[in-house]
Amino acid sequence: MKIEGVELRRVALPLALPFRTSFGTETARDVLLVRVVTSDAEGWGECVAMADPLYSPEYVEGAADVLRRFLVPALPRIADAHAAERAMLPFKGHRMAKAALETAVLDAELRAAGTSLAAYLGASASRVPCGVSVGIMDSVPALLDVVAGYVAEGYVRVKLKIEPGWEVAPVRAVRERFGDDLLLQVDANAAFTLADAPLLARLDPFDLLLIEQPLAEDDLVQHAALARRLRTPLCLDEAIESAAHAAAAISLGSCAVVNVKPGRVGGYLEARRIHDLCRAHGLPVWCGGMLETGIGRAANLALSALPGFTLPGDTSASSRYFTEDITEPFVLDDGHLTVPTGPGIGVAPRPDRLADVTTDSEWIPL
Ligand code: OSB
Ligand code: MG
């Protein structure tokens, strides 16, 4: 199975609803898709880098540059995801770019073999419960309306984005309106400091599943200090870029839960290692999201079906993100999404839709 070349394709998709986090407001996704063409099959990967380097140092234009300049030329000629991972290892960082290329290679490899990504990764579920990530709103009544809509759609867990000044009040309001049985958690995207420990401790009475990444993106030591001062479990997102980081966080006591995002950690192979490590240590994991299209979503659902993913993920339905996805839409059924069973990631972009939203395309022969 020889790799013939790689296409980098950019698509522009408006978001169904502006998404505000502590680091900024997204109104559209500028997505980089990677298509690997081999002699037997082609494979797709989605790069989750955002337009600006606000969540992490990566950004979509930088990802395209490192792919065309270094990562694609380094690819082995045979489509083998482990070999691709090793070949990209000398290049530091750029995990989102690496993840997109590795996933496209893996998809091609699995399609040629007739194996689904879910089966390959070791999935034990055929459908997964889904949560939804709710942005910061202009007012508490506006937030309650949005949450009410998602709860009515059937989402089994709600995550509220928080920042200083938008923490206790939104959590209290959602608890009062939807009751103690709603699975509820918050995500600060690194917006607080250790000096905010007393403020964050005011969230303890609300029985949240977890507080996600309250402190700086690279600080395991202060997260460990904060964890000792809160009853609510801490979960890390930004701070875990590899299985080695997860091991360090577990040793230090920096978190009790890990948000696994394949893009953030360099791909599905490393994501599975983090799953295996956390499972061995008794830490629950869940699958985060980066406002993916159906391409990234399909692969995330396969990962979410592994046995250690015991908390609902940010794997929401297509309608949560886009009025029209680039794949067949993922539709919520009783709060769950079905894990694709076809070869590879099990989905592909619809050609007509893809053509409509493509803003740029570049072919890199090998
Ligand atoms: O921190 O989990 C995050 C989206 C973009 C960047 C960072 C994050 C998020 C989300 C949305 O919370 C998750 C999703 O529904 O895709
Ligand atoms: Mg997060």
Side-chain angles (χ1 to χ4, degrees):
M1 240 228 308
K2 204 170 153 293
I3 300 181
E4 291 167 359
V6 176
E7 183 190 47
L8 304 183
R9 188 181 271 264
R10 290 278 281 278
V11 306
L13 288 172
L15 288 175
L17 199 72
F19 185 59
R20 180 171 155 208
T21 64
S22 62
F23 61 78
T25 304
E26 310 281 328
T27 56
R29 287 289 287 121
D30 174 0
V31 184
L32 171 62
L33 295 176
V34 176
R35 183 171 66 103
V36 164
V37 178
T38 78
S39 45
D40 301 72
E42 55 178 53
W44 289 92
E46 174 170 346
C47 181
V48 301
M50 307 264 135
D52 304 309
L54 299 174
Y55 163 82
S56 79
E58 291 191 78
Y59 58 102
V60 65
E61 197 64 51
D65 188 71
V66 78
L67 278 160
R68 78 167 71 84
R69 203 183 286 267
F70 300 105
L71 304 179
V72 172
L75 266 194
R77 295 319 186 243
I78 301 298
D80 173 330
H82 282 93
E85 185 186 43
R86 276 192 304 279
M88 294 189 285
L89 207 56
F91 303 105
K92 306 292 185 260
H94 298 286
R95 290 179 169 88
M96 292 174 179
K98 290 175 179 175
L101 185 55
E102 183 193 286
T103 306
V105 171
L106 183 57
D107 186 34
E109 185 185 344
L110 295 176
R111 278 180 207 261
T115 306
S116 71
L117 178 62
Y120 172 81
L121 292 173
S124 55
S126 57
R127 61 204 285 268
V128 297
C130 298
V132 60
S133 176
V134 184
I136 294 166
M137 301 282 160
D138 291 335
S139 69
V140 166
L143 173 71
L144 293 177
D145 280 351
V146 172
V147 172
Y150 289 141
V151 168
E153 282 183 62
Y155 285 104
V156 306
R157 183 226 73 194
V158 169
K159 159 169 141 181
L160 304 180
K161 289 292 188 176
I162 60 169
E163 65 182 2
W166 181 264
E167 2 61 6
V168 180
V171 168
R172 176 183 292 121
V174 168
R175 263 286 174 253
E176 279 174 1
R177 166 85 178 267
F178 300 96
D180 293 338
D181 289 342
L182 178 72
L183 298 182
L184 186 63
Q185 63 192 52
V186 295
D187 183 2
N189 289 108
F192 295 88
T193 72
L194 193 52
D196 295 313
L199 173 61
L200 294 169
R202 289 175 55 205
L203 294 173
D204 277 342
F206 297 104
D207 271 318
L208 300 178
L209 287 168
L210 56 90
I211 301 178
E212 182 179 344
Q213 194 71 41
L215 308 181
E217 59 282 353
D218 55 359
D219 202 330
L220 294 181
V221 172
Q222 294 209 356
H223 275 103
L226 180 63
R228 291 191 289 272
R229 296 174 60 173
L230 302 180
R231 208 176 63 218
T232 311
L234 289 191
C235 171
L236 291 176
D237 173 357
E238 284 89 329
I240 307 293
E241 295 186 344
S242 65
H245 287 171
I250 293 169
S251 304
L252 288 168
S254 313
C255 63
V257 183
V258 173
N259 166 338
V260 181
K261 284 181 184 169
R264 194 191 68 224
V265 304
Y268 289 84
L269 302 179
E270 187 72 358
R272 181 172 56 183
R273 291 181 199 114
I274 295 175
H275 161 271
D276 294 349
L277 175 83
C278 290
R279 192 159 183 241
H281 286 269
L283 272 74
V285 301
W286 54 282
C287 185
M290 294 289 287
L291 313 175
E292 286 92 343
T293 72
I295 294 296
R297 189 159 319 288
N300 283 348
L301 289 170
L303 182 70
S304 304
L306 268 61
F309 283 77
T310 54
L311 291 170
D314 284 344
T315 46
S316 309
S318 293
S319 62
R320 146 73 182 85
Y321 309 96
F322 314 109
T323 46
E324 193 180 349
D325 207 331
I326 59 172
T327 60
E328 292 301 321
F330 283 91
V331 179
L332 210 62
D333 174 19
D334 187 28
H336 290 64
L337 287 182
T338 301
V339 179
T341 52
I345 64 170
V347 305
R350 290 182 289 131
D352 53 334
R353 176 66 179 152
L354 186 62
D356 284 349
V357 297
T358 294
T359 55
D360 192 33
S361 154
E362 173 182 349
W363 174 250
I364 309 171
L366 246 76

